[in-house]
Amino acid sequence: LMLAVLLAVWGVAQVKRVQVQRELTHLRLVQERDAAARQAAESQLHLLQAQIQPHFLFNTLAALQHWVDAGDPRAGPLLRDLTGFLRRSTSLLAQTEVPLADEAEAARQYLRILQARLGERLQFSIDIDDTSGAQRLPAGILLTLVENAVEHGISPALRGGTVQVWARTQGGRLVLEVRDDGAGLALPLVDGLGLANCRQRLQHRHGPQATLSLQPLQPGACARVEVKTA
């Protein structure tokens, strides 16, 4: 009887051991799969950053190229401003996420540089409260939206226009808007490289908790980012 009991206990123990081993193996496989998925997502994120960075920098340089070609005496001071901006923006874009306030300062420098070229044709305002400024977003989101507003909204409009950057944290969500009263959206709406990358990077970082939408205005357009913060 004792032998039968011992054999039964041993058998149960062996079954439990096998079950535990299977569970540990399954858990290890899940962790490895999750780690691989995270690595793939991070690799894709870095690839998207690499696409945004030269796109943005080359567009900025092209916007000022004619100052140098024309031998305008204002080219020297303007290029010094550009150097400072490129230093800041390159540092920001090398990071995965940055506080919105830091990127807003880079956007302010960028708009000042273009304002020097466009004169009265470009006006801008940036209104971001402290709470929103402390929120972190994938680097390059705001700069890309501002660049698009100037390139596709203000530059094509003969009268020029105004770019407005606004952000608030409302009901546990960060709301960021970049508005312009320029040429407006071309129909049908098609994302360019910059907007497509912004959507993908927000998706990688925040999943369904983040959205990026374009809204036509009369006149102009509004790019709106919403991210759940709590």
Side-chain angles (χ1 to χ4, degrees):
L1 180 60
M2 289 296 296
L3 179 59
V5 171
L6 290 174
L7 288 173
V9 171
W10 180 83
V12 171
Q14 291 302 307
V15 171
K16 289 293 185 182
R17 182 178 65 82
V18 172
Q19 289 177 341
V20 170
Q21 287 180 336
R22 287 177 178 174
E23 290 176 359
L24 290 174
T25 300
H26 176 70
L27 179 60
R28 185 175 64 254
L29 291 174
V30 169
Q31 290 174 336
E32 291 174 354
R33 185 171 64 249
D34 289 346
R38 285 195 299 271
Q39 290 174 359
E42 289 297 328
S43 297
Q44 177 69 5
L45 181 62
H46 291 313
L47 175 61
L48 295 175
Q49 280 184 274
Q51 290 175 333
I52 287 177
Q53 187 163 335
H55 170 75
F56 175 73
L57 297 182
F58 290 148
N59 276 3
T60 305
L61 288 170
L64 298 171
Q65 183 177 353
H66 76 280
W67 284 73
V68 177
D69 293 342
D72 193 302
R74 293 172 292 179
L78 191 58
L79 288 177
R80 282 193 291 272
D81 289 339
L82 176 61
T83 299
F85 163 73
L86 293 180
R87 184 179 294 113
R88 175 185 288 272
S89 63
T90 302
S91 174
L92 288 174
L93 291 173
Q95 303 177 55
T96 301
E97 289 186 325
V98 297
L100 180 57
D102 290 355
E103 191 156 332
E105 184 57 33
R108 182 177 285 106
Q109 291 177 322
Y110 170 75
L111 288 167
R112 283 175 180 167
I113 291 170
L114 290 186
Q115 194 175 50
R117 179 176 69 89
L118 298 175
E120 295 182 356
R121 292 189 62 237
L122 172 62
Q123 304 297 322
F124 73 90
S125 66
I126 297 179
D127 181 9
I128 298 176
D129 65 3
D130 292 341
T131 301
S132 300
Q135 301 294 335
R136 302 179 70 86
L137 286 177
I141 297 294
L142 176 57
L143 285 171
T144 301
L145 297 181
V146 168
E147 180 193 14
N148 278 354
V150 175
E151 182 178 355
H152 301 294
I154 305 303
S155 293
L158 294 178
R159 58 178 175 78
T162 300
V163 174
Q164 296 176 311
V165 178
W166 177 91
R168 290 291 185 272
T169 302
Q170 305 170 338
R173 298 184 68 83
L174 170 66
V175 179
L176 169 65
E177 290 187 349
V178 178
R179 293 172 170 256
D180 72 81
D181 57 0
L185 298 173
L187 298 176
L189 297 179
V190 178
D191 283 356
L193 175 64
L195 284 179
N197 282 342
C198 284
R199 291 188 194 280
Q200 291 183 54
R201 300 180 73 214
L202 286 168
Q203 178 67 29
H204 275 300
R205 279 291 160 191
H206 301 284
Q209 305 301 325
T211 60
L212 168 58
S213 60
L214 292 179
Q215 305 167 359
L217 301 178
Q218 297 298 328
C222 174
R224 180 182 177 97
V225 175
E226 294 189 41
V227 179
K228 187 176 180 180
T229 60

